[in-house]
Amino acid sequence: MSEDIKKSKKESAEPISKKESESKESKFEESEPEQRLVDLARVTRVVAGGKRLRFRACVVVGDRQGRVGEGTKKGADVAGAIEKAVRIAKKNMITVPIVNNTIPHEIREKYGAALVLLKPARQGRGIIAGGPVRIVLELAGIPNVTAKMLGTKNKINNVRATINALKKFLKKT
């Protein structure tokens, strides 16, 4: 009787096969896009009785396979603001056409005072871009592109200008 109990305990304690654990991990990786924090700011507003402090987070999410999105939200604490921004970014994901490991053509896009110039690049050139534009292009999975931020250095406006530029590429039908 005790041998039967020992056998059943041994059988139940066996680890999950390697293939099963790998498939679970790969499913998780595919479904969860990578996220990067672009900007985190402390913002206040004046109310009767003083100032109210909140945090604003700008987050870019992408799967490095042609899908990218941006979200900006405020929250009472840093973690709450980032969580809200990630949720919005996932909802606003767009698909970017990648032709020969670069973008289809040159494009200029203006958002507010931010002007972003994106140019296709040769194979092996890499991402040549600054700050927030680089983050968007990396998470979109575009391996070769040259970009320049013209106008303001405002991170949020530059991210939005880049996303708008990527939206405007002609889709193959």
Side-chain angles (χ1 to χ4, degrees), residues 14-55:
E14 285 181 13
I16 300 172
S17 71
K18 191 172 183 180
K19 287 184 179 179
E20 287 178 18
S21 63
E22 285 176 5
S23 66
K24 287 180 182 178
E25 287 174 13
S26 64
K27 286 179 185 176
F28 177 73
E29 288 172 10
E30 289 174 12
S31 65
E32 194 63 32
E34 187 178 334
Q35 61 191 37
R36 297 264 300 269
L37 183 66
V38 176
D39 190 36
L40 183 65
R42 226 176 72 163
V43 293
T44 56
R45 69 176 173 191
V46 179
V47 294
K51 294 179 181 177
R52 183 152 302 155
L53 176 70
R54 298 174 83 191
F55 295 92

Side-chain angles (χ1 to χ4, degrees), residues 110-127:
K110 187 169 173 63
Y111 183 90
L115 179 64
V116 174
L117 170 65
L118 301 176
K119 286 182 169 182
R122 294 187 319 269
Q123 181 69 32
R125 185 107 167 133
I127 298 175

Side-chain angles (χ1 to χ4, degrees), residues 35-134:
Q35 61 191 37
R36 297 264 300 269
L37 183 66
V38 176
D39 190 36
L40 183 65
R42 226 176 72 163
V43 293
T44 56
R45 69 176 173 191
V46 179
V47 294
K51 294 179 181 177
R52 183 152 302 155
L53 176 70
R54 298 174 83 191
F55 295 92
R56 182 189 65 213
C58 177
V59 176
V60 175
V61 299
D63 62 0
R64 293 184 185 264
Q65 295 174 358
R67 288 178 42 82
V68 68
E70 177 268 341
T72 303
K73 274 299 194 186
K74 293 180 193 163
D77 61 344
V78 173
I82 292 173
E83 187 178 311
K84 288 178 186 180
V86 168
R87 195 171 337 117
I88 294 297
K90 286 179 182 176
K91 284 182 184 177
N92 296 331
M93 288 186 82
I94 61 166
T95 303
V96 181
I98 300 173
V99 179
N100 297 330
N101 287 327
T102 188
I103 55 178
H105 54 82
E106 182 178 322
I107 191 165
R108 283 176 168 241
E109 182 62 30
K110 187 169 173 63
Y111 183 90
L115 179 64
V116 174
L117 170 65
L118 301 176
K119 286 182 169 182
R122 294 187 319 269
Q123 181 69 32
R125 185 107 167 133
I127 298 175
I128 300 172
V133 177
R134 171 181 284 274

